[in-house]
Amino acid sequence: MNHVFTNISHELLTPLTVISASVERLREQAPQYGTDYALMELNVERMTRLLQEILETSKSQAGELRLRVSQGDVMEYIRQTALSIEPLMHKNGLEFTINCSPGSMMGWIDTDKVDKIIYNLLSNASKYTPAPGKVTLKAWTNKNFDHVIIEVTDTGIGIPANKMKRLFHRFYDGDYRRMQVSGTGIGLSLTRDLVDLHYGTIDCQSEEGHGSVFTVNLPINKESFSASQIDEQVTIDITKPQTTIADFSALIQQPEQIIPHAINMNKEGLYTILMVEDNEELLMLMRTLLSDHYNILTATNGREALDIVNSQDLDLIVSDVMMPEMDGNELTHQIKTNAEWSHLPVILISAKTGEEDRKESMLIGADDYITKPFRLSDLRLRINNIIENRKRIVVERALSAGEEGKEEENRPLTPDEEFQKKAYECVIRHLSDSDFDREGFAAEMGASSSTLYNKLRMLTGMNINNFIRDIRMKEAKRLVESQPDLRVSDLAYMVGFRDPKYFATCFKKEFGIQPSELINRQAKPKN
């Protein structure tokens, strides 16, 4: 049954990613509507939490929920968790009070489970308490300091006596329709399961029309848990609730995240990325949003992607994991076990958030793993980091080769150095041939276009056209320095340019000076 919930979550998290990315694009284009974007993001994050809650419920039904307690300031964690929900109370016009006594107390809890318990209780209280109402969270300890009691009180509509027996049953529908709020009937059931898992108890006292009181009693002493449930290496992070309860981050004005500029290359030299995603809406959106920064190719499954990998020049692949025909993991395996393609970086995107799922993909060979829903800025950051790392390797290899060359001028060339030397000499032979292109280059090198592209990108960081142009530019500068009486038009034709004006533009971009200025500078007699 768990795989059914996983597949459902994938289908729902994908459109959430589309919505999230669309909101991000709108924020860039029209930042003045910040409040509207915040509300959109709020609801995306709420749906994400709901899907996570469904998955947690499925784990509970299957007996797969696990407890992992760590030590830290339990009271401060409870207070910070409750504080992160304060914006929701304010939005609903409710007075919200938090009272933890003592203010600080060390203990052992599973923060993920306590986070969900507090969230569900306070979320329910806000749903069923009309404004201007009041919600209070109190936390205190017993006389032995080995338990913590968390009490959530509201002045809401209360629960009828005939419904109290089914209160913690799964799919109990409450009165969310009458209150015109959303509900699934799994929140309190999951809360009870989490409390039971934590060896605690939960109780509810309620009077219709006068509100409710939920009381949770949890052990916090180390002796209450088995050795396999205790994590000695991790301590409670009191800042974590503000990020794990993501629903409210959209209500807090944050500075715009700084996105690194796209890799600094001319348009013809943009890095080429293959996006693989079976949801055509998400695929179209990612292509639209990323096309300003990269050349984007698309495929809807792994088999289509392999055809493109085999026929096109690529620098990176971004793929969904769950797809028909061939999934992202199998696509990654096919790429990484092929000697011609194995250098291609692969970023996998998945609705599977488990650590085992991430490990499986990384062991297959994925270079990065992102969970849905994701922010476009995060994907761009991951892409740019991988590309920059590859560029850094190219530079380090060149520097290393230069140092080795100084020390061993007479040593035999490595195969890579031999290939690069052969490629350079090939371009030089065709320097003045304006028709010399990638096909002719590949044919003379005895390689396919894709093999030549991959090899040059790996060795130099340049694609085929950029490699040819780089050599033409450097030769043009060398010719000016050795023959200062050349005309610009003659120089352009000598290095394979049909249009002297376009040549001059490329030269200025490459060296920061017009070729005519450099010619005049070289022609001046030196004192």
Side-chain angles (χ1 to χ4, degrees), residues 18-256:
V18 174
I19 295 169
S20 180
S22 298
V23 172
E24 199 168 338
R25 179 71 165 181
L26 289 172
R27 189 186 289 277
E28 290 179 1
Q29 295 177 339
Q32 66 270 28
Y33 303 110
T35 303
D36 295 319
Y37 304 139
L39 289 173
M40 294 177 197
E41 289 171 345
L42 171 68
N43 284 282
V44 167
E45 290 165 353
R46 279 181 174 169
M47 287 195 68
T48 302
R49 173 174 278 276
L50 178 59
L51 291 172
Q52 292 169 345
E53 196 168 83
I54 292 172
L55 287 172
E56 198 85 341
T57 300
S58 73
K59 288 181 182 179
S60 176
Q61 287 180 299
E64 295 178 358
L65 276 179
R66 297 288 180 266
L67 194 70
R68 196 71 175 162
V69 299
S70 52
Q71 188 182 35
D73 193 331
V74 173
M75 283 298 185
E76 182 62 17
Y77 184 87
I78 292 170
R79 190 178 75 85
Q80 291 293 337
T81 302
L83 276 174
S84 70
I85 304 176
E86 191 172 28
L88 177 63
M89 301 296 180
H90 177 75
K91 175 177 175 287
N92 291 345
L94 303 176
E95 180 185 342
F96 182 44
T97 305
I98 303 169
N99 184 5
C100 296
S101 180
S104 177
M105 185 179 67
M106 300 297 288
W108 295 80
I109 58 171
D110 185 324
T111 54
D112 178 65
K113 307 303 183 289
V114 173
D115 174 279
K116 290 181 172 64
I117 291 167
I118 294 174
Y119 173 84
N120 280 328
L121 292 179
L122 289 177
S123 177
N124 267 4
S126 73
K127 285 179 184 177
Y128 300 115
T129 304
K134 184 175 181 179
V135 176
T136 301
L137 180 140
K138 293 181 180 179
W140 65 93
T141 185
N142 64 344
K143 63 181 181 179
N144 295 324
F145 297 96
D146 57 3
H147 280 67
V148 65
I149 299 92
I150 304 169
E151 182 184 270
V152 174
T153 306
D154 66 65
T155 59
I157 62 174
I159 303 166
N162 63 342
K163 292 188 176 183
M164 285 292 292
K165 290 183 180 180
R166 295 183 52 80
L167 184 62
F168 294 106
H169 286 208
R170 190 163 288 118
F171 306 123
Y172 165 75
D173 64 2
D175 286 312
Y176 64 85
R177 294 182 183 88
R178 178 159 67 91
M179 294 298 292
Q180 297 183 339
V181 296
S182 61
T184 62
I186 63 175
L188 285 178
S189 172
L190 176 60
T191 300
R192 184 194 60 184
D193 291 347
L194 296 176
V195 170
D196 290 345
L197 183 70
H198 216 291
Y199 305 116
T201 61
I202 184 169
D203 177 66
C204 177
Q205 301 294 323
S206 184
E207 183 179 352
E208 189 172 9
H210 290 84
S212 305
V213 179
F214 284 84
T215 305
V216 173
N217 191 321
L218 299 175
I220 60 171
N221 57 323
K222 189 176 181 181
E223 293 72 26
S224 295
F225 309 103
S226 66
S228 64
Q229 295 171 329
I230 296 171
D231 191 343
E232 299 271 12
Q233 306 301 315
V234 176
T235 57
I236 295 174
D237 182 359
I238 62 172
T239 66
K240 189 179 179 184
Q242 299 175 48
T243 55
T244 55
I245 299 185
D247 301 46
F248 310 103
S249 62
L251 296 178
I252 303 170
Q253 294 297 321
Q254 300 283 357
E256 288 295 321

Side-chain angles (χ1 to χ4, degrees), residues 500-527:
K501 289 184 179 178
Y502 180 56
F503 164 73
T505 300
C506 294
F507 193 96
K508 174 70 181 291
K509 189 169 187 178
E510 180 73 18
F511 301 113
I513 185 174
Q514 289 288 348
S516 56
E517 295 176 36
L518 184 58
I519 289 171
N520 291 334
R521 186 182 297 174
Q522 292 294 321
K524 286 181 180 179
K526 297 181 181 178
N527 295 329

Side-chain angles (χ1 to χ4, degrees), residues 274-280 283 287 297-312 314 317-319 323-328 330-331 334-335 341:
L274 173 61
M275 314 290 300
V276 192
E277 167 63 58
D278 62 322
N279 183 285
E280 293 188 5
L283 188 63
R287 179 175 185 171
L297 302 178
T298 60
T300 57
N301 61 61
R303 294 199 185 281
E304 285 184 15
L306 281 181
D307 289 339
I308 294 174
V309 171
N310 195 37
S311 61
Q312 300 290 331
L314 301 174
I317 297 171
V318 177
S319 176
M323 297 181 295
E325 299 285 335
M326 179 188 290
D327 66 21
E330 178 60 24
L331 171 62
Q334 294 283 343
I335 289 168
W341 307 332

